[in-house]
Amino acid sequence: MGNCCSDETGGHSAVGGTGAYVANQNTGHNEAVDALLKSRGYQGLYSHVELSLSATGLRDHDVLSKSDPMVVIYSKRRDGSLQELGRTEVVPNSLNPKWITKYTIAYHFETVQNLVFRVYDVDTQFHNQNVKMLKLEEQDFLGEASCTLSEIVTKSNGSLTLDLIRGEQSSGPTHAQQSGKLTVCAEESVASKTTVELKLRCSELVSKDLFSKSDPFLVISKYTESGMVVPICKTEVIKDDHSPNWKPVSLNIQQVGSKDSPLTIECYDFNSNGKHDLIGKVQKSLADLEVLHTTGSSTNLFIPASVGQNSQNKVLKSQLFVESFFEKTQHTFLDYLACGYELNFMVAIDFTASNGNPRLPDSLHYIDPSGRPNDYQRAILEAGEVLQFYDRDRRYPAWGFGARPIDGPVSHCFNLNGSSDYCEVEGIQGIMTAYMSALYNVSLAGPTIFGPVVTSAADIANQSLMKGKRKYFILLIITDGVITDLQETMDALVHAADLPLSILIVGVGGADFKEMEILDADKERLESTRGRVAVRDIVQFVPFRDVQSGDSVLQALLAELPSQFLEYMQLKRIQPTP
């Protein structure tokens, strides 16, 4: 694939609202950043989700009429404080309102986005005010509901119904029912998921070099409303070739504007000093390029006339051909969630002796009586906090490795729950309980070997695949040491790359983790003993010591999971069918 970089302000009264009105005008949506991220494969990372709100059975605070409800939406920070995100319009005289105002929020898979919804009955005297100007303390509080954005988007219909609870009367379910229910619907805000894949070639290019042929590449640009020319895509450079045939490039229809929007395709001769020579250019829309492909015809490149001259453009013998042209739908991560796909969390914990005696404070496995989590516990909690919403039964395979269970040899993959029959535990707390129990029931040993746990995770992913289940698996390996089975682990990872599986590795302690960088394979794909190259990169690694204080150690790792998920789906040509 080529390198594609592929308010209503003021005067809005409290009552009413229009279908076009969006509560938040500054959502941080940057089209340039989105285009860059999408060009690098991050298709589902920064999706924008539109929230629609409705309620039933609200409390009636008015004497002569029904309540006039409005919703205020908040984001709940880690410290428990609330940040107001937006407000709906006021729906007059209704206990079962459907608000027209929508709220658009940027959905981030890698973080837990806690939302709070508070419903107020707005006094009639304020109905002509802008909702942003209303003082909430002057309105009657009807009830509050909270959830995470993940809980909404993982529902098959994108809809979640919550009990509204009055703070001072939240002691039992009866009071919650009396306050009514709030329904939140989420719909991904994507104007166009259609992309056009183009394969272009040229013939009879002129030489710009004295002693060799040109090194041509193409740059595709669009025109903005102000007339500026903005590059949106470029091909690779082909060395010494006057009849180059470039790899396919993809253009999103939304990014271009429309199929009829004019584009400029420029052919340059690459120079290492960055001063590339223009060989020639054409001006065509996507619709024009489609006609060239359909008819098997070509178009001549030209050199534009110099500024200030009346002469016409110089038409060249060089020609541009469209070898292939087809439209396809670019599905997002949320598309698959909406069709019932789940993410299944798995964890493998290093119990080798290099961690130190768990009963001593200097051990990486030390359980602090104050409740402060060690690095192993912190990694489990942070990953589980995000991933638990994407697995319906919340039963997680959990293993240990590098230890000697009671009356047994050293094991490099044992069930953390102590069972010889099954490896799953209930919920994130189940993992935490099994981990602490294992510390008192195994003897730390070694060496550090990853192969068996990777194989076990791959087996589960393969069995799920064979049964046609809509699951994608994430194995979290937490380790303190240098692995001793690097090649065996690479063999297992090359095999696992064909399966619905990603692996996150967190390094704790001060060891040298250079082998982990090899497994991460950011620079070069892994290769097995038999010379087979992994079809995709499924490993991400981060050492705890590189994480800034207060940051989530796994946030950067989790941020790449949707793109790995989509890469697998595209590789296997799996569509998000209902």
Side-chain angles (χ1 to χ4, degrees), residues 194-255:
T194 302
T195 60
V196 172
E197 184 173 287
L198 294 169
K199 194 172 189 298
L200 304 171
R201 72 176 177 88
C202 282
S203 67
E204 298 186 70
L205 294 180
V206 298
S207 179
K208 291 291 183 178
D209 299 328
L210 290 177
F211 304 108
S212 64
K213 295 180 179 180
S214 295
D215 305 324
F217 68 96
L218 299 178
V219 175
I220 303 176
S221 304
K222 71 174 182 178
Y223 294 89
T224 65
E225 291 183 2
S226 61
M228 291 180 58
V229 178
V230 178
I232 56 175
C233 185
K234 71 177 181 179
T235 68
E236 79 279 13
V237 176
I238 298 182
K239 294 286 187 178
D240 297 321
D241 198 334
H242 285 170
S243 297
N245 197 335
W246 290 279
K247 295 178 181 178
V249 295
S250 291
L251 297 173
N252 185 275
I253 296 294
Q254 180 182 358
Q255 180 185 14

Side-chain angles (χ1 to χ4, degrees), residues 204-499:
E204 298 186 70
L205 294 180
V206 298
S207 179
K208 291 291 183 178
D209 299 328
L210 290 177
F211 304 108
S212 64
K213 295 180 179 180
S214 295
D215 305 324
F217 68 96
L218 299 178
V219 175
I220 303 176
S221 304
K222 71 174 182 178
Y223 294 89
T224 65
E225 291 183 2
S226 61
M228 291 180 58
V229 178
V230 178
I232 56 175
C233 185
K234 71 177 181 179
T235 68
E236 79 279 13
V237 176
I238 298 182
K239 294 286 187 178
D240 297 321
D241 198 334
H242 285 170
S243 297
N245 197 335
W246 290 279
K247 295 178 181 178
V249 295
S250 291
L251 297 173
N252 185 275
I253 296 294
Q254 180 182 358
Q255 180 185 14
V256 171
S258 73
K259 288 184 68 174
D260 295 317
S261 299
L263 298 173
T264 294
I265 304 176
E266 297 168 301
C267 184
Y268 287 94
D269 175 28
F270 175 83
N271 289 313
S272 57
N273 62 6
K275 298 179 180 180
H276 311 304
D277 297 316
L278 178 66
I279 298 175
K281 64 192 291 186
V282 300
Q283 291 178 325
K284 298 288 182 182
S285 66
L286 286 176
D288 295 332
L289 295 174
E290 186 175 20
V291 171
L292 291 180
H293 170 66
T294 303
T295 60
S297 55
S298 62
T299 186
N300 292 84
L301 276 66
F302 67 87
I303 297 294
S306 300
V307 177
Q309 295 183 356
N310 294 324
S311 59
Q312 294 181 341
N313 296 331
K314 180 181 178 182
V315 179
L316 307 174
K317 289 184 178 180
S318 307
Q319 292 182 312
L320 176 75
F321 296 83
V322 182
E323 291 287 277
S324 66
F325 183 106
F326 67 92
E327 297 181 30
K328 60 182 180 180
T329 300
Q330 195 167 45
H331 296 294
T332 67
F333 180 61
L334 293 182
D335 289 335
Y336 288 92
L337 291 184
C339 292
Y341 280 88
E342 299 181 57
L343 302 181
N344 192 255
F345 182 40
M346 302 185 281
V347 66
I349 297 174
D350 184 340
F351 284 87
T352 55
S354 55
N355 283 279
N357 187 339
R359 292 167 178 77
L360 300 178
D362 60 351
S363 170
L364 293 171
H365 281 307
Y366 180 66
I367 305 300
D368 194 326
S370 70
R372 179 183 179 183
N374 62 35
D375 285 350
Y376 283 92
Q377 292 172 307
R378 183 178 162 196
I380 294 168
L381 289 171
E382 289 184 7
E385 183 182 40
V386 172
L387 295 174
Q388 62 181 328
F389 299 107
Y390 300 87
D391 186 342
R392 293 191 183 93
D393 66 11
R394 300 193 181 184
R395 296 182 62 85
Y396 310 122
W399 301 287
F401 60 92
R404 182 179 291 105
I406 296 175
D407 300 328
V410 174
S411 173
H412 300 294
C413 185
F414 58 89
N415 296 333
L416 206 61
N417 59 16
S419 170
S420 58
D421 301 321
Y422 61 94
C423 61
E424 291 185 334
V425 298
E426 293 268 1
I428 301 305
Q429 190 54 49
I431 299 177
M432 298 290 284
T433 301
Y435 162 63
M436 290 186 287
S437 176
L439 287 174
Y440 296 99
N441 289 288
V442 301
S443 298
L444 275 58
T448 304
I449 294 176
F450 280 8
V453 293
V454 172
T455 299
S456 294
D459 287 344
I460 291 176
N462 187 55
Q463 291 171 18
S464 174
L465 183 64
M466 292 300 99
K467 294 178 181 178
K469 294 185 177 180
R470 298 188 175 192
K471 280 182 173 288
Y472 190 91
F473 296 84
I474 296 97
L475 171 63
L476 171 65
I477 300 177
I478 317 170
T479 183
D480 84 312
V482 178
I483 64 172
T484 57
D485 67 332
L486 180 60
Q487 187 57 58
E488 290 82 359
T489 299
M490 290 171 63
D491 290 346
L493 291 172
V494 170
H495 167 70
D498 275 323
L499 299 169

Side-chain angles (χ1 to χ4, degrees), residues 167-206:
E168 68 273 21
Q169 297 180 358
S170 58
S171 58
T174 302
H175 297 295
Q177 292 174 1
Q178 290 178 349
S179 297
K181 293 182 180 294
L182 180 76
T183 297
V184 188
C185 294
E187 185 176 10
E188 189 173 10
S189 300
V190 179
S192 175
K193 295 180 183 178
T194 302
T195 60
V196 172
E197 184 173 287
L198 294 169
K199 194 172 189 298
L200 304 171
R201 72 176 177 88
C202 282
S203 67
E204 298 186 70
L205 294 180
V206 298

